[in-house]
Coordinates of all heavy atoms in Angstrom, one line a residue:
I230 N 138.4 98.7 118.2 CA 138.7 99.1 116.9 C 138.4 98.0 115.9 O 138.8 96.9 116.1 CB 140.2 99.4 116.7 CG1 140.6 100.5 117.8 CG2 140.6 99.9 115.3 CD1 141.3 99.9 119.0
T231 N 137.5 98.3 115.0 CA 137.0 97.3 114.1 C 137.8 97.5 112.7 O 137.7 98.6 112.2 CB 135.5 97.4 113.8 OG1 134.8 97.2 115.0 CG2 135.0 96.4 112.8
E232 N 138.6 96.5 112.4 CA 139.4 96.5 111.2 C 138.7 96.1 110.0 O 138.4 94.9 109.9 CB 140.7 95.7 111.5 CG 141.7 95.6 110.3 CD 142.2 97.0 109.8 OE1 141.4 97.6 109.1 OE2 143.3 97.3 110.2
M233 N 138.4 97.0 109.1 CA 137.8 96.6 107.8 C 138.7 96.4 106.7 O 138.3 95.9 105.6 CB 136.8 97.8 107.5 CG 135.8 98.1 108.5 SD 134.8 99.5 108.0 CE 134.1 99.0 106.6
S234 N 139.9 96.8 106.8 CA 140.9 96.7 105.6 C 141.4 95.4 105.4 O 141.5 94.5 106.4 CB 142.1 97.6 105.9 OG 141.7 99.0 106.1
W235 N 141.7 95.0 104.2 CA 142.4 93.8 103.9 C 143.6 94.2 103.1 O 143.6 94.9 102.2 CB 141.5 92.9 103.0 CG 142.1 91.5 102.9 CD1 142.1 90.5 103.9 CD2 142.7 90.8 101.8 NE1 142.7 89.4 103.5 CE2 143.1 89.5 102.2 CE3 143.0 91.3 100.5 CZ2 143.8 88.7 101.4 CZ3 143.7 90.4 99.7 CH2 144.1 89.2 100.1
Y236 N 144.8 93.7 103.6 CA 146.1 94.2 103.2 C 146.7 93.3 102.1 O 147.8 93.7 101.7 CB 147.0 94.3 104.4 CG 146.6 95.2 105.4 CD1 145.6 94.9 106.4 CD2 147.0 96.5 105.5 CE1 145.2 95.8 107.4 CE2 146.6 97.5 106.4 CZ 145.7 97.1 107.3 OH 145.2 97.9 108.3
G237 N 146.1 92.3 101.7 CA 146.8 91.4 100.7 C 148.1 90.8 101.2 O 148.1 90.2 102.3
D238 N 149.2 91.0 100.5 CA 150.4 90.6 100.9 C 151.3 91.5 101.8 O 152.4 91.2 102.2 CB 151.3 90.2 99.8 CG 151.6 91.3 98.7 OD1 151.1 92.4 99.1 OD2 152.2 91.1 97.7
K239 N 150.6 92.6 102.2 CA 151.4 93.6 103.1 C 151.3 93.0 104.6 O 150.4 92.3 104.9 CB 150.7 94.9 103.1 CG 150.9 95.7 101.8 CD 150.2 97.1 101.9 CE 150.4 97.9 100.7 NZ 149.7 99.2 100.8
R240 N 152.3 93.4 105.3 CA 152.4 93.1 106.8 C 152.5 94.2 107.6 O 153.6 94.6 108.0 CB 153.5 92.0 107.0 CG 153.3 90.8 106.3 CD 154.3 89.7 106.8 NE 154.0 88.4 106.2 CZ 154.6 87.3 106.6 NH1 155.6 87.3 107.5 NH2 154.4 86.1 105.9
P241 N 151.4 95.0 107.9 CA 151.5 96.3 108.6 C 152.0 96.0 110.1 O 151.8 95.1 110.8 CB 150.1 96.7 108.7 CG 149.2 95.5 108.5 CD 150.0 94.6 107.7
G242 N 152.8 97.0 110.6 CA 153.3 97.1 111.9 C 152.2 97.7 112.8 O 151.7 98.8 112.5
I243 N 151.8 97.0 113.8 CA 150.7 97.5 114.7 C 151.3 98.0 116.0 O 152.1 97.4 116.6 CB 149.7 96.4 115.0 CG1 149.2 95.7 113.6 CG2 148.5 96.9 115.8 CD1 148.3 94.5 113.9
A244 N 150.8 99.2 116.4 CA 151.3 99.9 117.6 C 150.7 99.3 118.8 O 149.6 99.8 119.3 CB 151.1 101.4 117.5
L245 N 151.2 98.2 119.3 CA 150.7 97.5 120.5 C 151.4 98.0 121.8 O 151.1 97.4 122.8 CB 150.7 96.1 120.4 CG 149.8 95.5 119.2 CD1 149.9 94.0 119.2 CD2 148.5 95.9 119.2
G246 N 152.3 98.9 121.6 CA 153.0 99.5 122.8 C 152.1 100.6 123.3 O 150.9 100.7 123.1
G247 N 152.8 101.6 123.9 CA 152.0 102.8 124.4 C 150.9 102.5 125.4 O 151.0 101.6 126.3
A248 N 149.7 103.1 125.2 CA 148.6 102.9 126.0 C 147.7 101.7 125.5 O 146.6 101.5 126.1 CB 147.8 104.1 126.1
F249 N 148.1 100.9 124.5 CA 147.2 99.9 124.0 C 146.7 99.0 125.2 O 145.4 98.8 125.3 CB 147.9 99.1 123.0 CG 146.9 98.0 122.3 CD1 146.1 98.3 121.3 CD2 147.0 96.7 122.8 CE1 145.3 97.3 120.7 CE2 146.2 95.7 122.3 CZ 145.3 96.1 121.2
H250 N 147.6 98.4 126.0 CA 147.2 97.6 127.0 C 146.5 98.3 128.2 O 145.6 97.8 128.8 CB 148.4 96.7 127.5 CG 148.7 95.7 126.4 ND1 149.7 96.0 125.4 CD2 148.5 94.4 126.4 CE1 149.8 94.9 124.7 NE2 149.1 93.9 125.2
A251 N 147.1 99.5 128.5 CA 146.5 100.2 129.6 C 145.1 100.6 129.4 O 144.3 100.6 130.4 CB 147.4 101.5 129.9
K252 N 144.7 100.9 128.2 CA 143.4 101.2 127.8 C 142.5 100.0 127.6 O 141.3 100.2 127.3 CB 143.4 102.2 126.6 CG 143.9 103.6 126.9 CD 143.6 104.6 125.8 CE 144.2 104.3 124.4 NZ 143.8 105.3 123.5
R253 N 143.1 98.8 127.6 CA 142.4 97.6 127.4 C 141.5 97.6 126.1 O 140.4 97.4 126.1 CB 141.5 97.2 128.6 CG 142.2 97.1 129.9 CD 141.3 96.8 131.1 NE 140.4 95.7 130.8 CZ 140.8 94.4 131.0 NH1 142.0 94.1 131.5 NH2 139.9 93.4 130.8
L254 N 142.3 97.9 125.0 CA 141.6 98.0 123.7 C 141.4 96.7 123.1 O 142.1 95.7 123.4 CB 142.4 98.9 122.7 CG 142.7 100.3 123.2 CD1 143.5 101.1 122.2 CD2 141.4 101.0 123.5
T255 N 140.3 96.7 122.3 CA 140.1 95.4 121.5 C 140.2 95.7 120.0 O 139.7 96.7 119.5 CB 138.6 94.9 121.7 OG1 138.5 94.6 123.1 CG2 138.3 93.7 120.9
L256 N 141.0 94.9 119.3 CA 141.2 95.0 117.9 C 140.4 93.9 117.2 O 140.7 92.7 117.4 CB 142.6 94.9 117.5 CG 142.9 95.1 116.0 CD1 142.4 96.5 115.4 CD2 144.4 95.0 115.7
R257 N 139.3 94.2 116.4 CA 138.3 93.2 116.0 C 138.3 93.1 114.4 O 138.2 94.2 113.8 CB 137.0 93.5 116.4 CG 135.9 92.6 115.9 CD 136.0 91.2 116.3 NE 135.0 90.3 115.7 CZ 133.8 90.1 116.3 NH1 133.4 90.7 117.4 NH2 132.9 89.3 115.8
A258 N 138.5 92.0 113.8 CA 138.4 91.9 112.4 C 136.9 91.7 111.9 O 136.1 91.3 112.7 CB 139.2 90.6 111.9
T259 N 136.7 92.3 110.8 CA 135.3 92.1 110.2 C 135.5 91.8 108.7 O 136.5 92.3 108.1 CB 134.4 93.4 110.4 OG1 133.2 93.1 109.8 CG2 135.0 94.5 109.6
Q260 N 134.7 90.9 108.1 CA 134.8 90.6 106.7 C 133.4 90.1 106.2 O 132.7 89.5 107.0 CB 135.9 89.4 106.7 CG 136.5 89.3 105.3 CD 135.8 88.2 104.4 OE1 134.9 87.5 104.9 NE2 136.1 88.2 103.1
V261 N 133.1 90.5 105.0 CA 131.8 90.3 104.5 C 131.5 88.8 104.2 O 130.4 88.4 103.9 CB 131.6 91.2 103.2 CG1 132.3 90.6 102.1 CG2 130.1 91.4 103.0
G262 N 132.5 88.0 104.1 CA 132.3 86.6 103.7 C 131.4 85.8 104.6 O 130.8 84.7 104.3
T263 N 131.2 86.2 105.9 CA 130.3 85.6 106.9 C 129.5 86.6 107.5 O 129.9 87.8 107.7 CB 131.1 84.8 108.0 OG1 132.0 85.7 108.6 CG2 131.9 83.7 107.4
V264 N 128.2 86.3 107.9 CA 127.4 87.2 108.6 C 127.9 87.3 110.0 O 128.4 86.4 110.7 CB 126.0 86.7 108.6 CG1 125.1 87.5 109.5 CG2 125.4 86.6 107.2
A265 N 128.0 88.5 110.5 CA 128.5 88.8 111.9 C 127.9 87.9 112.9 O 126.7 87.6 112.8 CB 128.2 90.2 112.3
P266 N 128.6 87.2 113.8 CA 128.2 86.3 114.8 C 126.9 86.8 115.5 O 126.0 86.0 115.9 CB 129.3 86.1 115.7 CG 130.5 86.4 114.9 CD 130.1 87.5 114.0
S267 N 126.8 88.2 115.8 CA 125.7 88.6 116.6 C 124.3 88.5 115.8 O 123.3 88.5 116.4 CB 125.9 90.1 117.0 OG 126.0 90.9 115.8
Q268 N 124.4 88.4 114.5 CA 123.3 88.4 113.7 C 123.1 87.0 112.9 O 122.1 86.8 112.4 CB 123.4 89.4 112.6 CG 123.6 90.8 113.1 CD 122.5 91.3 114.0 OE1 122.5 91.2 115.2 NE2 121.5 91.9 113.3
A269 N 124.1 86.2 113.0 CA 124.1 85.0 112.1 C 122.9 84.0 112.4 O 122.4 83.3 111.4 CB 125.4 84.2 112.3
A270 N 122.4 83.9 113.6 CA 121.3 83.0 113.9 C 120.0 83.4 113.2 O 119.1 82.6 112.9 CB 121.1 83.0 115.4
R271 N 119.9 84.7 112.8 CA 118.6 85.2 112.2 C 118.8 85.7 110.8 O 117.8 85.7 110.0 CB 118.0 86.3 113.0 CG 117.7 85.8 114.4 CD 117.3 87.0 115.4 NE 118.3 88.1 115.4 CZ 119.4 88.0 116.2 NH1 119.7 86.9 116.9 NH2 120.3 89.0 116.1
W272 N 120.0 86.1 110.4 CA 120.2 86.8 109.1 C 121.0 85.9 108.2 O 122.1 85.4 108.5 CB 121.1 88.0 109.3 CG 120.2 89.2 109.9 CD1 119.9 89.4 111.2 CD2 119.7 90.3 109.1 NE1 119.1 90.5 111.3 CE2 119.0 91.1 110.1 CE3 119.7 90.7 107.8 CZ2 118.3 92.3 109.7 CZ3 119.1 91.8 107.4 CH2 118.4 92.6 108.4
T273 N 120.4 85.6 107.0 CA 121.1 84.9 106.0 C 121.8 85.9 105.1 O 121.6 87.1 105.2 CB 120.1 84.1 105.0 OG1 119.2 85.1 104.4 CG2 119.3 83.2 105.8
H274 N 122.7 85.4 104.2 CA 123.4 86.3 103.3 C 122.4 87.0 102.4 O 122.4 88.2 102.1 CB 124.4 85.5 102.4 CG 125.6 85.1 103.2 ND1 126.7 86.0 103.2 CD2 126.0 84.0 103.8 CE1 127.7 85.4 103.8 NE2 127.3 84.2 104.2
A275 N 121.4 86.3 102.0 CA 120.3 86.8 101.1 C 119.6 88.0 101.8 O 119.3 89.1 101.2 CB 119.4 85.8 100.6
R276 N 119.2 87.8 103.0 CA 118.5 88.9 103.8 C 119.4 90.1 104.0 O 119.0 91.2 103.8 CB 118.1 88.3 105.2 CG 117.3 89.3 106.0 CD 117.0 88.8 107.3 NE 116.2 89.8 108.2 CZ 116.1 89.7 109.5 NH1 116.5 88.7 110.2 NH2 115.5 90.7 110.1
R277 N 120.7 89.8 104.3 CA 121.6 91.0 104.4 C 121.8 91.8 103.2 O 121.8 93.0 103.1 CB 123.0 90.4 105.0 CG 123.9 91.6 105.3 CD 125.3 91.0 105.9 NE 126.0 90.3 104.8 CZ 127.1 89.6 104.9 NH1 127.6 89.5 106.1 NH2 127.7 88.9 103.9
L278 N 121.9 91.0 102.0 CA 122.1 91.7 100.7 C 120.9 92.5 100.3 O 120.9 93.5 99.8 CB 122.4 90.7 99.6 CG 122.8 91.2 98.3 CD1 123.9 92.2 98.3 CD2 123.1 90.1 97.2
A279 N 119.7 91.9 100.6 CA 118.5 92.6 100.3 C 118.4 93.9 101.1 O 117.9 94.9 100.6 CB 117.2 91.7 100.6
L280 N 118.8 93.9 102.4 CA 118.8 95.1 103.2 C 119.8 96.1 102.5 O 119.4 97.4 102.4 CB 119.3 94.8 104.6 CG 119.6 96.0 105.5 CD1 118.4 96.8 105.7 CD2 120.2 95.5 106.8
A281 N 121.0 95.7 102.1 CA 121.9 96.6 101.4 C 121.3 97.2 100.2 O 121.5 98.4 100.0 CB 123.2 95.8 101.1
V282 N 120.6 96.4 99.4 CA 120.0 97.0 98.2 C 119.0 98.1 98.5 O 118.9 99.2 97.9 CB 119.4 95.9 97.3 CG1 118.5 96.5 96.2 CG2 120.5 94.9 96.8
S283 N 118.2 97.8 99.6 CA 117.1 98.7 100.0 C 117.8 100.1 100.4 O 117.2 101.1 100.3 CB 116.2 98.1 101.0 OG 116.9 98.0 102.3
L284 N 118.9 100.0 101.1 CA 119.6 101.2 101.6 C 120.1 102.1 100.5 O 120.5 103.2 100.8 CB 120.6 100.8 102.6 CG 120.1 100.2 103.9 CD1 121.3 99.8 104.8 CD2 119.2 101.1 104.6
C285 N 120.2 101.6 99.3 CA 120.6 102.4 98.2 C 119.6 103.5 97.8 O 119.8 104.3 96.8 CB 121.0 101.6 97.0 SG 122.4 100.5 97.2
N286 N 118.5 103.6 98.5 CA 117.6 104.7 98.2 C 117.9 106.0 98.8 O 117.2 107.0 98.6 CB 116.1 104.3 98.7 CG 116.1 104.2 100.3 OD1 117.1 104.4 100.9 ND2 114.9 104.1 100.8

Side-chain angles (χ1 to χ4, degrees):
I230 304 101
T231 300
E232 175 58 277
M233 301 176 62
S234 303
W235 193 73
Y236 296 85
D238 57 3
K239 291 182 180 178
R240 297 191 175 188
I243 305 175
L245 300 183
F249 181 86
H250 288 84
K252 291 198 292 184
R253 297 179 57 84
L254 300 180
T255 298
L256 181 59
R257 173 67 182 270
T259 185
Q260 202 266 352
V261 74
T263 56
V264 175
S267 63
Q268 307 296 93
R271 300 172 303 281
W272 284 78
T273 63
H274 283 275
R276 183 184 175 194
R277 187 181 65 185
L278 184 57
L280 171 63
V282 170
S283 73
L284 293 178
C285 290
N286 68 351

